[in-house]
Amino acid sequence: MKHITHHYKKVKVTFLKVMILACIIAAFFLPSIEFYESTGDNRFYVYLYEQKVGYVADKEMVEDCIRQARRDLASEADGLYIIEEPVVRFEGEEVVWAKCDDAETLTANIKTVLAQHERETLIRAYTVKVNSQTVNLATAEEVNQLLAVTIGKYDTQGQYELAMDLNPERELNVLTASVNRIGSEENAWDTDAGVSAILSHEVDEEQIVEYMDFEDFDLGIRDIGFSEEVEVVEAYILEDELNTLDEAINLLTEEQEVQQIYEVQAGDTLSEISITVGIPMETIVEMNGHILDNVNSTLNIGDELIITVPEPELSVVWTSREHYKETYEAEIIYIPNDEWYTTQMVTLQEPSAGFREVVADVTYENDEEIGRAIVKEVVVMEAVPKIVERGTIVPPTYVKPISGGRLSSRFGRRTAPTAGASTYHKGVDWATPVGTPVYASSGGTVAKAGWGSGYGYVVYINHPDGRQTRYAHLSKVQVSVGQSVSQGDKIALSGNTGVSSGPHVHFEILINGKQVNPLDYL
């Protein structure tokens, strides 16, 4: 017991000595000690798309790590890597001592989360544009194959090659396709052939062509190119937007239905137009219901018919030098007659075909000839031209004599609409209320104005081209015989006089005293 007490006293003395020493040390160093003060949040939980990715003390470090993670993902992708816009959120806390993630760890965590929010990867491709049509191909080689197919159909000897030229007028790097002759610096004709061998190489073909025999000419394709501008640009697209080579060829070279406008010319008939454009008459009528009722409908000069023709999106224009023998017709010789209308003509000499041997440059668009230039011609038998005398005076025109109205009876055979009416209608009728103004269809001199038996009140007008127009079933006549009228002058009011089944205007055109279908001349 005595031993334990002695040890306790010894420990107590030692403790007192330590405390005294601590007080002495504190007395010296107390002025340099700063006590802990609260400064706010100093560690942040980082959330990316609401997923925790780490702890940081500096928020700016997170942006650097996101950029690095995106670079890493892009370098690993085969194409242009696109992700959703990163959404970052921070939760702060204040701690005395805290462990934070280093940049490498944080970047790895961010990369894992970003990969889960990939939107799409755009692959590198080549877009070929022709007019409004585009196709996307995986490689430049496929682009070359696509364009080579279009010219290869005509360049069977492989004399031409494709070239891609940078378009200086475009801001982006756009290439324009062209076709060049291989070895184009060489002469297009054989300098060792025929008489050309003895001439200077500085003399061009046009100067020596008259001395050349037909065997001296180098025949075949002389030029080839695309009729539309073909642009190629490198782009990044979705993989499912790629076209296969076969799809691209079909889209650009297979014939598609293209709508065009055909303007009716003097002398045109629907059957002739059908043959020219290669479309059945019924189909033309169906496409032009706003103009044509049926295949017998009248065509008017200047009418615009919608026609649909098959054309490829990408066309090839090529010129071939050809040697052939043919019969040919001389151009018609016209002799003007200033006293005749342009509708009057007389043949003074009948034509006779000639025969010739020719070398010509023939230009085609795809398989259709669009031009021909004769290079050399030897006439074996001269053609005799057709000689035609024709008038120069533009004949009067004819217009509908009323405004509005409903076409109620056409020209030709019909069932008599009322007792006493003819079963062969010699004009056309427009149903219209009594009192509708009636106008002169063309300028001329009034030949009759008054009562016309079954026609009721009538007006007849003689025209300078020898034709006559007649207006019948009128309620009131407003001109007199011998009076000169101009096209569009008011001559009467519509009515229901004579043998008539209702209010209307009956209109006729007579040529050489015989009624014709007015709708063919209005």
Side-chain angles (χ1 to χ4, degrees):
M1 184 71 179
K2 183 179 180 179
H3 175 74
I4 294 175
T5 303
H6 177 75
H7 179 74
Y8 174 77
K9 289 180 179 180
K10 186 176 181 179
V11 171
K12 186 176 180 179
V13 171
T14 302
F15 175 76
L16 290 173
K17 289 180 179 180
V18 171
M19 290 297 295
I20 293 170
L21 180 61
C23 290
I24 295 172
I25 294 173
F28 281 102
F29 293 100
L30 188 61
S32 62
I33 293 177
E34 294 184 8
F35 291 96
Y36 171 77
E37 293 182 3
S38 176
T39 58
D41 295 342
N42 57 3
R43 185 174 80 161
F44 301 92
Y45 295 90
V46 184
Y47 293 87
L48 182 62
Y49 303 115
E50 296 303 320
Q51 295 185 54
K52 186 181 289 187
V53 291
Y55 306 92
V56 296
D58 181 6
K59 292 182 180 181
E60 293 183 0
M61 170 185 172
V62 176
E63 291 299 321
D64 293 336
C65 292
I66 290 176
R67 281 194 290 270
Q68 184 58 51
R70 296 182 72 165
R71 281 195 293 267
D72 291 346
L73 289 171
S75 65
E76 296 168 4
D78 185 17
L80 190 63
Y81 189 83
I82 297 178
I83 60 171
E84 296 177 17
E85 186 65 25
V87 179
V88 181
R89 184 172 65 84
F90 296 95
E91 283 186 5
E93 63 177 357
E94 185 178 21
V95 295
V96 175
W97 179 86
K99 180 181 179 182
C100 295
D101 293 313
D102 57 28
E104 184 176 350
T105 301
L106 185 60
T107 299
N109 294 342
I110 290 174
K111 181 177 174 182
T112 299
V113 175
L114 285 180
Q116 299 169 7
H117 290 77
E118 174 188 354
R119 180 186 298 171
E120 55 201 14
T121 299
L122 299 183
I123 62 173
R124 180 178 173 180
Y126 295 87
T127 298
V128 181
K129 181 176 183 294
V130 180
N131 298 321
S132 59
Q133 180 70 60
T134 60
V135 295
N136 302 308
L137 295 171
T139 66
E141 178 58 31
E142 286 188 336
V143 174
N144 284 329
Q145 292 177 31
L146 166 65
L147 300 179
V149 165
T150 61
I151 66 169
K153 179 179 178 181
Y154 308 103
D155 178 27
T156 57
Q157 302 298 317
Q159 297 174 297
Y160 290 81
E161 61 185 355
L162 291 166
M164 293 291 178
D165 307 308
L166 190 64
N167 190 336
E169 298 179 359
R170 302 291 294 274
E171 293 182 6
L172 300 175
N173 290 331
V174 176
L175 300 176
T176 301
S178 61
V179 184
N180 299 324
R181 188 182 181 92
I182 299 174
S184 56
E185 69 278 1
E186 299 175 3
N187 292 328
W189 42 276
D190 186 357
T191 55
D192 294 326
V195 298
S196 61
I198 63 173
L199 297 177
S200 167
H201 66 278
E202 297 178 356
V203 180
D204 70 22
E205 185 181 22
E206 292 183 3
Q207 295 175 282
I208 67 168
V209 68
E210 62 180 293
Y211 303 105
M212 296 172 66
D213 293 328
F214 288 108
E215 295 77 13
D216 296 330
F217 289 92
D218 185 19
L219 305 179
I221 294 183
R222 295 177 59 80
D223 187 37
I224 190 169
F226 301 113
S227 61
E228 296 84 11
E229 187 173 62
V230 180
E231 293 184 335
V232 181
V233 63
E234 187 177 317
Y236 284 90
I237 63 172
L238 294 174
E239 187 171 4
D240 60 8
E241 294 177 338
L242 267 182
N243 298 109
T244 66
L245 181 58
D246 287 341
E247 288 174 343
I249 291 173
N250 288 335
L251 286 171
L252 294 187
T253 65
E254 292 297 313
E255 291 185 336
Q256 313 290 332
E257 294 295 327
V258 179
Q259 194 175 90
Q260 294 184 354
I261 299 296
Y262 180 92
E263 183 175 346
V264 176
Q265 307 296 318
D268 274 347
T269 66
L270 190 57
S271 60
E272 291 171 339
I273 294 173
S274 172
I275 293 171
T276 300
V277 300
I279 300 175
M281 289 192 293
E282 293 77 7
T283 304
I284 296 177
V285 170
E286 186 178 337
M287 290 189 291
N288 295 273
H290 60 295
I291 296 177
L292 306 174
D293 295 327
N294 52 60
V295 295
N296 297 314
S297 297
T298 301
L299 295 176
N300 299 306
I301 297 174
D303 280 350
E304 292 186 342
L305 299 179
I306 298 171
I307 58 174
T308 302
V309 295
E311 286 186 358
E313 195 70 49
L314 178 58
S315 296
V316 176
V317 175
W318 53 288
T319 300
S320 174
R321 176 155 291 182
E322 301 176 5
H323 173 219
Y324 54 90
K325 298 175 183 179
E326 66 170 3
T327 58
Y328 73 100
E329 302 286 343
E331 290 188 8
I332 299 175
I333 298 175
Y334 291 101
I335 298 176
N337 187 322
D338 296 336
E339 296 180 356
W340 293 358
Y341 288 106
T342 54
T343 53
Q344 296 174 271
M345 59 180 64
V346 174
T347 299
L348 304 179
Q349 177 176 285
E350 293 293 342
S352 177
F355 187 78
R356 63 187 177 185
E357 186 172 4
V358 177
V359 168
D361 289 337
V362 186
T363 301
Y364 301 87
E365 183 169 1
N366 300 324
D367 296 315
E368 181 180 350
E369 181 180 332
I370 60 174
R372 182 177 294 258
I374 293 178
V375 178
K376 183 179 179 66
E377 175 186 43
V378 173
V379 176
V380 178
M381 183 173 66
E382 195 79 33
V384 176
K386 181 177 184 178
I387 301 177
V388 176
E389 184 177 9
R390 66 179 179 181
T392 60
I393 303 173
V394 177
T397 59
Y398 295 81
V399 298
K400 185 180 175 182
I402 65 168
S403 176
R406 174 179 59 84
L407 184 62
S408 56
S409 184
R410 293 179 177 272
F411 181 87
R413 296 196 176 277
R414 67 174 181 177
T415 301
T418 187
S422 172
T423 57
Y424 189 90
H425 200 213
K426 297 180 180 180
V428 293
D429 292 344
W430 286 282
T432 188
V434 173
T436 300
V438 179
Y439 306 100
S441 179
S442 186
T445 303
V446 177
K448 183 174 181 176
W451 187 258
S453 186
Y455 276 179
Y457 285 108
V458 298
V459 173
Y460 295 177
I461 301 175
N462 292 335
H463 305 285
D465 59 355
R467 298 174 182 176
Q468 186 183 77
T469 53
R470 295 179 178 180
Y471 314 78
H473 304 298
L474 308 171
S475 63
K476 185 176 181 180
V477 173
Q478 297 182 317
V479 292
S480 56
V481 174
Q483 181 179 338
S484 293
V485 295
S486 299
Q487 186 180 68
D489 285 350
K490 188 164 75 169
I491 60 173
L493 299 178
S494 68
N496 190 26
T497 59
V499 180
S500 174
S501 60
H504 72 285
V505 172
H506 173 87
F507 177 68
E508 297 178 6
I509 294 180
L510 291 83
I511 298 178
N512 297 324
K514 183 179 179 181
Q515 284 92 345
V516 296
N517 187 350
L519 297 182
D520 290 340
Y521 299 90
L522 295 184

